[in-house]
Amino acid sequence: MIGLIGLGQMGGAMARRLVEQGQVPRVWDAHGPARNRAAGQVVDGPAACAAPVVILSLPDAGAVAAVLEALLPAMPPGGVVVDTSTLDPLAAREFAARAAYLDAPVSGGPAGAATGTLTMMLGGEAAALERARLALSLLATRIIHVGGPGAGQVAKLVNNLLVATHLAAAGEAMRLGAAAGVGPEALLAVVNAASGRSAATEVNWPRWVLNGAFDSGFTAGLMRKDVRLAMALAEATGTPLATCAAAASAWAASDIADAEDFNRVSARIGGIA
Ligand code: NAD
């Protein structure tokens, strides 16, 4: 039995994937419309999601703390909470001190969740991971145990700081090319066959920017959260970041609203949209 709390872009897709794989997860979201469109067995609160493996997909540490308050007293012996939300590694360590809790942020977006092809980076006890592994293998093709509590979140923040920096840099580079007379389609054909490529140029620009789709399922607000958390980690660890700090400033200063697709920030820097 699997529980799943948080049925937004990611959690909603995970619920559908679990049902496709023959599971009937017990699911809950604080927001009524998210519950109404959810796959699985909708229950009447976080405690009713208690199960040997409970997956969380929530916006931030505050939401996770509120859910754990209700959920933990109801968890069965040996039960594991697997938190796929992106949040502060320090918060993850606090949660892990209270329960069998794995920080397990993911990469791959709603499309990866829907097809069970996420990359999951975990922090926490190896024994707890082994108890959850079978359930997690329905959602993720790559399950990487990074280290102790919080290590998964550190890896996720490093990854997303790179994504944000690559997207800002790709936007600037496309704007430079266009100003000099070569448009983004022609530039991407070259960059993606040469050494300047990144996921920003190979995936984001072709899939969500150039065609005007902007429907990745990841908002600018959530990326800004990740960038803020990464910069706070840099401050807390006394790590000066010049290049990534410039990109972080560009994300903070962009006039793209939090509710918009995150690729619009790169497009706006690139002079498109
Ligand atoms: P989302 O905003 O679409 O969904 C979050 C859901 O959590 C919402 O349905 C909301 O109603 C629910 N929620 C909030 N507080 C709650 C509470 N106290 N109890 C129960 N439900 C509550 O967000 P998302 O895009 O699905 O992202 C979820 C998490 O995964 C975030 O931490 C995000 O940073 C991370 N993430 C997202 C993506 C992506 O591409 N969308 C990719 C990787 C990681």
Side-chain angles (χ1 to χ4, degrees):
M1 173 59 72
I2 301 173
L4 174 58
I5 302 176
L7 302 168
Q9 293 281 354
M10 293 298 286
M14 288 179 197
R16 288 194 297 280
R17 166 73 184 170
L18 290 173
V19 168
E20 266 173 35
Q21 294 297 299
Q23 303 292 313
V24 187
R26 293 179 186 158
V27 301
W28 170 254
D29 192 289
H31 190 48
R35 292 199 297 276
N36 292 341
R37 58 177 175 259
Q41 182 196 352
V42 179
V43 295
D44 65 0
C49 291
V53 178
V54 180
I55 296 164
L56 310 185
S57 178
L58 295 163
D60 53 35
V64 171
V67 161
L68 291 180
E69 190 79 18
L71 172 69
L72 290 184
M75 284 294 282
V80 184
V81 177
V82 181
D83 187 2
T84 67
S85 324
T86 304
L87 42 82
D88 176 3
L90 284 179
R93 284 176 195 140
E94 281 169 23
F95 298 143
R98 288 167 48 195
Y101 168 96
L102 298 169
D103 51 295
V106 291
S107 181
T115 51
T117 56
L118 292 169
T119 292
M120 184 174 276
M121 46 216 95
L122 288 109
E125 296 295 328
L129 169 56
E130 289 320 311
R131 297 202 295 280
R133 188 181 286 276
L134 204 58
L136 301 184
S137 66
L138 301 175
L139 299 172
T141 38
R142 278 166 293 188
I143 297 176
I144 303 169
H145 189 197
V146 186
Q153 294 295 355
V154 171
K156 173 69 180 176
L157 295 183
V158 166
N159 182 76
N160 275 25
L161 184 61
L162 274 175
V163 175
T165 303
H166 289 162
L167 279 168
E172 276 192 0
M174 293 303 126
R175 187 154 50 83
L176 171 63
V182 182
E185 285 90 353
L187 289 171
L188 288 173
V190 172
V191 167
N192 287 335
S195 48
R197 68 192 186 278
S198 64
T201 61
E202 287 189 305
V203 179
N204 297 64
W205 271 67
R207 197 178 290 174
W208 296 303
V209 176
L210 281 187
N211 60 5
F214 296 110
D215 60 353
S216 73
F218 188 49
T219 63
L222 284 176
M223 181 54 109
R224 286 192 176 108
K225 172 195 71 169
D226 296 356
V227 170
R228 276 195 305 271
L229 288 172
M231 295 311 291
L233 194 62
E235 170 120 25
T237 54
T239 312
L241 302 177
T243 307
C244 294
S249 299
W251 278 84
S254 171
D255 64 350
I256 298 298
D258 277 352
E260 299 264 16
D261 190 274
F262 79 124
N263 293 292
R264 283 197 189 275
V265 174
S266 186
R268 180 61 56 87
I269 292 170
I272 294 177

